[in-house]
Amino acid sequence: MKRFFGKIFAFAILSAATLFAAFSFQSCAVDGSSSRSVKVGGGTVDSDDGASERENHDESGEEGDEAEIEDDAEPADVEPALNQWTVVVYMSADNSLEPDAIADLNEMESAPLPPGMEVLVLLDRADGYDASNGDWTDTRLFRLERDEHESNLIVSERLSSKELGLSVDTATELDMSNRSTLSALLSFARKNYEAENYALIVWGHGSGWRGGENVSSRAFAMDDGGSSSSYMTISDMRWAVERGMDGKKLAFLGFDTCFGVCLETAYEFRSAAYLMAGSPSIESQAGWDYKSFFQYLSDAAPASGSLPASLLCDSAMAQFKEQYRNLANSAFCVLNLGHCADAVSAFDTFASAAAATIETYADRDAVLGIFRNKCVSYRSGIPSDVYVDSLDFVRKLRDEKGDGLIPFYAGIVEADYASFVVDSWNSTEGSCSPGVFFAAEKADGVFMNHPDSYVSSSGNPTAGSFVNSARGYVPSKSKYGSLLDKIFYMTLDN
């Protein structure tokens, strides 16, 4: 990772407000957060060398007298080779997305899989949106199989699972918003489809960091079979991944949801996965093009050796760009979560330095104007949560305030993001970075107060790790002077 060796000196001359926020940030050390490469799926996350070749040895010996085997010799025990990948798709479609779930499963079945890859799909359907394939409305687990005819029928093998309480002979309704469902699915995958690497694709409605408020129209794992506000918080999802994987990291974590890639979500999963991919913006209901995703992956798979996790990222990026290139403000990011803690810490320190520059209402209005009018932002409409592109905000504020410590800290953010954001694309700007929540906006353009789940030290149990750690950026219960405190809540001297 690129470093600025003047960091220590600069901290010595920081204002008291900036020092407080910088040192109160609770950064966690995670695997791969140093400049050392992280080995995933036979490849190296930080390397462009591709997959490392694995030698294949003929253990039968050369033909000849020395290779003769006695008739009564016991055969050697040979461990069966593991699959390279097990990919788990968590399809929460007990809602308005039911038709799109069926279409996406058909897309998956229409493309070839790379050698050594198994795909498991847990699909929860709804009642009343789609009547195809027998119009069942329960929850079913499938092992993906190829449909050479590309029909609209589901041809994949239906599975039973003791962990999930599913049987091929009975209809069972699972609550996809319950973290134990996801945990049990990952546990089943590990035990029954053991592989060198595991990937999880999260499919469905998404609202980024949200949890604890009633956002029934946009929430991860929204399940109409439960209550109207039944969904999974990102902290619950992280718990499910860690419990289901029994401490083993996911090699790839994909979000086929709206607002899937934001700083809040990335920080939550920094210790649970190596690579993360998805959109910081909104998606259409069609989501990813899975036929293209698996086709790209199969075409790029090496003839020998391991399939690196970077190829899953490349394939996800390729299908997204192809499908959304003409949709304004579409965006896609690939993140190396091993560098997430450094990047978020740098962003939070920058936010603290920015807060220290706000001393009057004129200062506040100037910074608010950058957020509202100059930054790339992501929203679903109005009213809506508003996310701003985190790196774009840093650069725009640096350009407006080109004095003091702002340019210095902006340089640190850019350096850490160079390791954090592996690849990115935006149909308007050319590149992008993870969004960060700014505020919820009403139809009349007025911003609403931040809910307790986005206030540090509020005690709200659904607050994520980012909210409880990024003291320089997120609002605080005591209103001590974070950037969002200064913009929304503090009384300033004229």
Side-chain angles (χ1 to χ4, degrees):
M1 172 186 295
K2 295 165 66 177
R3 294 288 179 190
F4 280 73
F5 294 102
K7 235 176 185 179
I8 298 176
F9 172 76
F11 270 82
I13 62 172
L14 270 176
S15 65
T18 304
L19 275 171
F20 176 82
F23 284 100
S24 65
F25 185 88
Q26 300 169 6
S27 175
C28 297
V30 298
D31 293 342
S33 61
S34 70
S35 61
R36 292 178 297 173
S37 299
V38 180
K39 300 289 280 187
V40 181
T44 306
V45 170
D46 293 328
S47 171
D48 294 326
D49 295 336
S52 59
E53 299 293 333
R54 293 188 298 180
E55 296 181 2
N56 295 313
H57 298 283
D58 183 354
E59 297 181 356
S60 63
E62 298 180 356
E63 294 183 2
D65 295 338
E66 295 181 358
E68 292 181 0
I69 302 177
E70 296 182 10
D71 292 340
D72 59 352
E74 291 290 334
D77 290 333
V78 179
E79 289 288 335
L82 294 179
N83 279 327
Q84 288 189 38
W85 284 91
T86 293
V87 179
V88 176
V89 185
Y90 197 72
M91 297 189 95
S92 306
D94 193 355
N95 49 60
S96 61
L97 295 180
E98 182 193 11
D100 305 286
I102 301 299
D104 279 356
L105 181 51
N106 289 150
E107 288 175 1
M108 295 178 200
E109 293 175 333
S110 67
L113 294 179
M117 176 176 285
E118 292 277 6
V119 178
L120 304 177
V121 180
L122 184 66
L123 170 57
D124 188 23
R125 291 183 64 174
D127 184 12
Y129 295 98
D130 187 292
S132 67
N133 290 275
D135 199 19
W136 50 273
T137 60
D138 53 304
T139 310
R140 299 187 179 183
L141 178 61
F142 297 97
R143 174 182 172 271
L144 196 67
E145 291 187 355
R146 180 79 185 276
D147 182 2
E148 297 283 355
H149 302 290
E150 299 188 20
S151 69
N152 294 325
L153 297 177
I154 297 173
V155 303
S156 294
E157 177 188 6
R158 186 179 172 187
L159 301 177
S160 296
S161 168
K162 181 177 67 176
E163 290 84 355
L164 288 161
L166 295 179
S167 168
V168 297
D169 301 319
T170 58
T172 303
E173 178 67 29
L174 297 179
D175 181 1
M176 298 289 278
S177 68
N178 190 321
R179 64 183 188 174
S180 295
T181 303
L182 176 56
S183 174
L185 174 62
L186 292 172
S187 180
F188 170 85
R190 280 192 308 103
K191 294 174 182 176
N192 296 276
Y193 294 87
E194 190 177 1
E196 295 175 3
N197 305 286
Y198 296 88
L200 171 64
I201 298 176
V202 180
W203 188 104
H205 287 299
S207 62
W209 67 273
R210 277 258 186 202
E213 284 73 43
N214 184 2
V215 281
S216 58
S217 63
R218 295 184 299 103
F220 170 68
M222 177 182 169
D223 194 314
D224 284 350
S227 66
S228 60
S229 59
S230 179
Y231 58 93
M232 194 185 305
T233 66
I234 58 172
S235 55
D236 274 349
M237 182 185 162
R238 189 255 311 148
W239 177 94
V241 170
E242 292 179 342
R243 178 67 62 89
M245 293 299 297
D246 194 27
K248 180 180 177 66
K249 283 189 179 183
L250 293 167
F252 174 85
L253 173 59
F255 279 88
D256 187 3
T257 70
C258 294
F259 306 117
V261 172
C262 55
L263 284 188
E264 294 89 346
T265 305
Y267 192 72
E268 193 72 37
F269 292 100
R270 66 196 185 279
S271 298
Y274 288 106
L275 292 171
M276 175 176 164
S279 175
S281 186
I282 62 171
E283 292 185 354
S284 72
Q285 289 199 178
W288 292 9
D289 182 343
Y290 287 94
K291 180 179 180 180
S292 294
F293 173 73
F294 285 114
Q295 188 67 62
Y296 280 125
L297 195 57
S298 296
D299 291 344
S304 61
S306 297
L307 176 70
S310 59
L311 284 185
L312 274 75
C313 298
D314 294 344
S315 298
M317 174 75 78
Q319 63 80 24
F320 196 90
K321 289 170 66 174
E322 181 178 301
Q323 185 176 194
Y324 291 96
R325 66 179 61 181
N326 295 320
L327 185 61
N329 217 26
S330 294
F332 199 85
C333 272
V334 176
L335 307 178
N336 182 341
L337 295 184
H339 295 283
C340 180
D342 287 335
V344 170
S345 179
F347 174 82
D348 195 59
T349 301
F350 175 88
S352 182
T357 70
I358 300 176
E359 298 178 345
T360 67
Y361 290 112
D363 294 335
R364 182 202 63 186
D365 292 344
V367 175
L368 179 60
I370 294 171
F371 271 111
R372 298 194 70 159
N373 305 317
K374 296 186 177 182
C375 291
V376 173
S377 61
Y378 309 113
R379 53 176 54 117
S380 62
I382 294 179
S384 172
D385 287 349
V386 177
Y387 289 82
V388 296
D389 185 292
S390 54
L391 184 57
D392 186 62
F393 164 69
V394 169
R395 289 169 171 168
K396 295 287 173 58
L397 185 59
R398 176 200 61 195
D399 294 344
E400 291 290 321
K401 293 180 172 289
D403 55 354
L405 292 174
I406 293 295
F408 174 80
Y409 282 111
I412 295 176
V413 175
E414 287 188 310
D416 283 341
Y417 268 55
S419 300
F420 175 44
V421 182
V422 177
D423 198 5
S424 71
W425 170 82
N426 185 299
S427 60
T428 304
E429 298 293 317
S431 62
C432 66
S433 75
V436 64
F437 180 67
F438 181 59
E441 187 176 21
K442 296 181 180 179
D444 56 4
V446 175
F447 287 118
M448 293 180 277
N449 287 342
H450 293 82
D452 279 349
S453 57
Y454 205 79
V455 175
S456 67
S457 303
S458 67
N460 189 303
T462 66
S465 299
F466 179 90
V467 174
N468 290 322
S469 300
R471 302 294 183 87
Y473 178 74
V474 301
S476 61
K477 191 171 181 63
S478 60
K479 307 295 185 291
Y480 58 72
S482 70
L483 182 58
L484 295 186
D485 279 338
K486 286 286 190 76
I487 292 175
F488 288 104
Y489 302 110
M490 293 190 69
T491 299
L492 303 172
D493 295 330
N494 289 311

